[in-house]
Amino acid sequence: MATHTAMAQGSNASIRGSLEQRVGIIHYVSQKEHGWTGQTRTRYTDFQVNEIDKSGKVIHLNTLQVNAKDSVKTEPPRQPQSSSSQPQHTNSPASSDTPAAANVEELSISQSNRSTLIDLLGDDTTEELVKLYAKANEVKKSTSHTPIFVKISAITDKSQRSRVHAEIRRIFNGTIDTSTDGDGSIKAAVVGKGNQQWNNRYRNERRNTRQAGQDNDAQYLHFTLYKENRDTIDAVNHIARLLNLKPSFFGTAGTKDRRAVTSQRVSIRRRNPQAMASLNAKLYNIRIGDFTFEKHPIHLGQHGGNEFVIVLKNCHFNGTENLSFEQKLDVANATITSAIQQVNHNGFINYYGTQRFGTHKIGTQEIGKMILKQDFEGAVKALLSFDPNLIGPSDTDSLAVTRREDASRARACWIFSDTGNVQDALKYLPRRCHVESTLIRHMGKQPKDYVGALLSISRGMRTMYVHAYQSLVWNFAASKRWELYGQRVVKGDLVILESSPSDGQTIQDDEELIHLADSEQAIEDMHGLKAHALTEEEACNGKYSIFDVVLPSPGWDVVYPENEIGKFYEEFMGSEENGGLDPHNMLRRQKDFSLPGSYRKLIGRFIGTTTASVQTYHHDTEQLVPTDLDLVRKRDAEAAAERIAAQKATNASTSAWRSFVNNVEEVEHQELRAKAERRKADEVSVGPEHQALDTWVQTKRDGSNKRVKVATHTDEIKADEDQIHKVTQHDVLKDEMQVDDSMGGKPDAMEGLSTDDHHPIISTIISQVRKAVDTATNLLMTAFRICTDNIVIKAITDAFTPQVQSGYPATPPLRETSHEKPSDENEANTNMTNDTTSDTPTTSDIPVTQVDHSESSAPTNDKKLAVILRFSLETSQYATVVLRELQGMPPADEEAFNS
């Protein structure tokens, strides 16, 4: 988990060097021409961790939705049972013995399994286990809580001991459970009634939540847990609270950093994926998705490692102070490329990182040393120690978040130490201080019970302290081994010859297993190894390399190197400064403080492909690598835009027909108006027409046709709106004008035309203007629809795309600009934006992030360098140690180290 120490060492080279040397991190494998430094976790999105499963697949969050094809497995069709296959029930006396016979058969074991137990444990112990198994049914029916168990003598061989655990559980179908005591003996006991009650609850849940078509063998729902700035235990506890379940119902392969963005797989038995997906609306800085049903749960250690994507900002390379920016960029690219090649070839010293040793002034290794010295009072007081300078200010609101939490913790511890008042102390104690809270509550009831106070802490936490001391010893032993022999394999070095066949077993001292293990078996599975000290011939024949050499963490069940390093363990642990302990005597009365020890490889290596790049940027708040959630939102926005575009194309193809159907009457009116306009245009002249009339006189008296034209008259033909016809007027004959009244009672074909507009030119102009207005209206409506569609697309895009603060480039959201951790009280306010509209925080719930926008006006040539690294490590290896090896020796420590 991320710590203040880890952040400090990434931001300040001198602080980093001081912390590292105090916990034994001293040497480098490869020498760099240009050492360099950079800031890690400027934003927690700059540190991304993705789990790698056993098959080598990197776990990413792909979708938040439930895909029925992926989550539900097909079930083979059930064969109908014939009536003849139904059991026949009779009242005969023989039938009454059938259940008893069935029970006897059910509680018996096969001859092959019996032979296996005899080979492992002998005849007597095997018979005791079989009798215990026969009594298991009586124990389940009985209301007595008296434990029934068989104690097996101590087994020194780890591989055989691990096999005993596995075989007993397999042969007796989990009815008998095993655990290892501090003296190495094994206790086999019938599973308690409480566990049986939880199993009954599981059966009820299975009946209620079984999916249609789901395979009966696929009992476990697996999903991807994506979290930001929250540790794994906290995230699982949050989900468990929403489901009203115990956190132990969930299975994980390990823990992930807190101040980071991480993805990992989690399992839970018999849950509805739709119901699980609906929790996303209620989760803060957590998302779950990629639901599938599997036959087996996820256990601790069942993963192949972690992939890290780390962005280091404000990078500076030694010896480039007087170079131009382009020259610095060339040096950076060359240095990073060379560093990656060196680490790929030579590896890195597999140190335990500084985060292993805690964040307070008194490190976890100091607590562990006191516990191993059996100074339990000193350990409790050290856990409740505080800095008196933090007690002064009563108003802590003005302090930074982390500083405010430290001040509240200091005040709570001071109140308890001064007054002994538990309730007053707990009022100030931050919710994250689980250890302090547990100790204060216990000491308030039993002030002198220091052992009980330490044992009241959760098992993972109390074992963490003694393992931190083991890690300290290992780090100094590794530094001494490298100082004396370097990459050479020498006589007395330890190598692993064989390992336990248990699944997921590793030779590494896996911190995740140590912190989360709920039973001794989880740690037993981690061991089962046999180390061998090399002879002179074996060390020189080239069969083994430096990558095969291991060093032990001190314990009562390990061997030490048969050379100078073995003597170093005795000298280092035996000094008063380091506890005055004996590495060959690590047994204690308390099982959790009795350390068997383990082995860890001296030199670590990358797994998979490693990439690195140098990138320029302007602002430290820029997100240079998108997270899984950013990619999911982008894909969802693109899919939504594609759906809208497809819908728009479909609407366009049917718009003409819909327009006709919805506007039939309007179309008919338009056609009538068009016909009237065409008729007027054909019948009405552009200007007033004139008709010439000639007057002829008959001159022949004899009846012939001889005539003489005596006059010519011109008549004007007028047209108005109410009558369209020819008018003939003869001045001589003075005929009365005939008026055609056939259209006098009908309305004008052009609606809205004034009765005063009698001129045909005006009518034509009005008609053209009307057409232009209609065309303009249609264009405006089309433009309005296009704008509306764009607004809808933008709204959907904004719903899935992180908002960009003004003054900054188009990058993913500014989740956090402060270097400090949010407290529990404010944690919900610094969360990611919910993907759904439900439970949306109000404006008052969202904190105002202080950002200096003056930086946005900086000139374009004010560039900075960032290094982006992508590499994969085994579960027990530390990314901070790899960064240290890639960066080389900090400038502040070079002179001190060379002197």
Side-chain angles (χ1 to χ4, degrees), residues 408-409 411-417 419-430 436 440:
S408 298
R409 176 193 174 277
R411 179 169 290 273
C413 293
W414 171 69
I415 291 175
F416 180 73
S417 64
T419 66
N421 192 312
V422 175
Q423 297 303 322
D424 288 348
L426 294 179
K427 289 179 182 179
Y428 290 94
L429 193 66
E436 290 85 345
I440 289 174

Side-chain angles (χ1 to χ4, degrees), residues 160-271:
Q160 184 179 4
R161 188 165 63 245
S162 296
R163 187 183 175 193
V164 168
H165 285 294
E167 291 294 343
I168 290 177
R169 292 176 179 176
R170 178 187 66 81
I171 292 173
F172 298 110
N173 299 319
T175 303
I176 298 177
D177 197 8
T178 58
S179 61
T180 304
D181 289 336
D183 58 358
S185 62
I186 298 175
K187 183 170 69 175
V190 176
V191 175
K193 187 176 180 180
N195 292 337
Q196 185 65 29
Q197 292 175 349
W198 286 118
N199 290 336
N200 293 336
R201 177 177 176 178
Y202 273 136
R203 294 191 191 99
N204 295 333
E205 290 178 352
R206 178 181 60 190
R207 298 189 190 101
N208 297 333
T209 62
R210 181 175 297 177
Q211 302 299 299
Q214 178 186 318
D215 188 352
N216 288 332
D217 293 335
Q219 300 181 6
Y220 296 92
L221 178 65
H222 289 208
F223 60 89
T224 298
L225 171 64
Y226 170 95
K227 61 184 183 63
E228 296 184 353
N229 204 28
R230 300 188 73 164
D231 60 54
T232 302
I233 297 177
D234 182 36
V236 170
N237 288 343
H238 190 180
I239 298 174
R241 284 195 300 270
L242 294 177
L243 296 174
N244 196 24
L245 296 175
K246 285 186 174 182
S248 59
F249 285 8
F250 294 84
T252 62
T255 59
K256 297 292 179 284
D257 290 56
R258 178 183 185 272
R259 188 171 171 79
V261 176
T262 70
S263 296
Q264 65 186 113
R265 293 296 281 177
V266 180
S267 67
I268 184 174
R269 184 168 178 171
R270 295 291 186 186
R271 278 287 153 180

Side-chain angles (χ1 to χ4, degrees), residues 502-807:
S502 60
D503 181 42
Q505 181 269 330
T506 173
I507 69 170
Q508 304 292 346
D509 186 7
D510 196 332
E511 180 183 18
E512 294 173 351
L513 295 182
I514 292 170
H515 288 190
L516 293 180
D518 290 329
S519 68
E520 183 67 24
Q521 177 62 24
I523 298 181
E524 284 291 337
D525 291 343
M526 189 176 60
H527 302 291
L529 307 172
K530 185 176 181 180
H532 169 68
L534 296 179
T535 63
E536 186 72 34
E537 181 182 356
E538 290 172 332
C540 298
N541 62 13
K543 180 179 179 181
Y544 299 101
S545 70
I546 191 63
F547 297 105
D548 298 314
V549 175
V550 299
L551 289 176
S553 293
W556 53 264
D557 200 18
V558 296
V559 297
Y560 295 92
E562 297 180 1
N563 51 30
E564 293 298 323
I565 304 304
K567 298 178 181 179
F568 175 81
Y569 277 90
E570 299 175 357
E571 295 173 358
F572 181 84
M573 295 178 61
S575 66
E576 186 63 28
E577 179 185 0
N578 297 311
L581 301 173
D582 181 3
H584 303 285
N585 181 21
M586 301 299 290
L587 283 172
R588 299 294 184 272
R589 294 179 59 184
Q590 296 77 20
K591 181 176 66 174
D592 292 337
F593 304 147
S594 186
L595 304 178
S598 62
Y599 299 98
R600 181 180 179 85
K601 285 188 174 181
L602 173 64
I603 301 297
R605 308 179 80 171
F606 292 130
I607 59 176
T609 304
T610 302
T611 61
S613 62
V614 180
Q615 186 170 332
T616 61
Y617 72 101
H618 289 82
H619 305 285
D620 290 340
T621 53
E622 293 181 34
Q623 185 172 328
L624 303 182
V625 178
T627 65
D628 285 353
L629 185 60
D630 292 334
L631 297 177
V632 168
R633 286 170 169 168
K634 180 182 178 182
R635 286 193 296 265
D636 290 345
E638 291 175 349
E642 291 176 358
R643 288 195 299 269
I644 292 177
Q647 184 67 25
K648 185 177 179 180
T650 303
N651 293 340
S653 62
T654 59
S655 60
W657 170 251
R658 289 181 180 177
S659 177
F660 173 76
V661 172
N662 297 330
N663 301 285
V664 172
E665 185 177 358
E666 179 66 22
V667 171
E668 291 178 351
H669 289 170
Q670 290 179 359
E671 290 179 352
L672 289 175
R673 286 195 292 269
K675 289 179 180 179
E677 291 172 1
R678 287 195 298 271
R679 186 169 61 251
K680 289 180 181 180
D682 293 340
E683 295 177 353
V684 179
S685 302
V686 176
E689 297 183 0
H690 298 80
Q691 185 177 11
L693 300 177
D694 296 335
T695 302
W696 297 82
V697 177
Q698 186 76 24
T699 59
K700 190 78 174 179
R701 293 184 178 180
D702 54 3
S704 63
N705 294 328
K706 186 175 180 179
R707 296 176 300 171
V708 177
K709 182 169 67 172
V710 295
T712 299
H713 303 277
T714 302
D715 292 336
E716 180 177 324
I717 301 176
K718 298 182 178 180
D720 59 15
E721 185 178 359
D722 300 324
Q723 54 186 14
I724 304 175
H725 62 278
K726 294 182 179 180
V727 179
T728 306
Q729 181 178 6
H730 198 286
D731 292 340
V732 177
L733 299 179
K734 298 184 182 297
D735 294 334
E736 184 177 350
M737 182 171 58
Q738 302 296 323
V739 179
D740 187 1
D741 296 330
S742 60
M743 299 181 63
K746 296 183 179 180
D748 188 4
M750 285 296 294
E751 297 177 2
L753 186 64
S754 174
T755 56
D756 297 333
D757 300 333
H758 299 294
H759 202 283
I761 296 178
I762 297 176
S763 300
T764 303
I765 293 173
I766 292 175
S767 176
Q768 297 298 325
V769 170
R770 189 177 199 69
K771 290 182 179 179
V773 171
D774 290 340
T775 302
T777 303
N778 291 333
L779 291 175
L780 288 175
M781 293 302 295
T782 302
F784 176 76
R785 284 194 295 271
I786 294 174
C787 292
T788 304
D789 291 342
N790 290 336
I791 292 173
V792 172
I793 294 174
K794 185 177 185 300
I796 295 177
T797 304
D798 291 342
F800 293 96
T801 304
Q803 298 296 322
V804 180
Q805 274 190 286
S806 59

Side-chain angles (χ1 to χ4, degrees), residues 875-890:
T875 57
S876 63
Q877 296 172 339
Y878 287 78
T880 52
V881 173
V882 176
L883 291 179
R884 173 185 180 276
E885 182 66 38
L886 290 171
Q887 290 177 327
M889 189 173 299

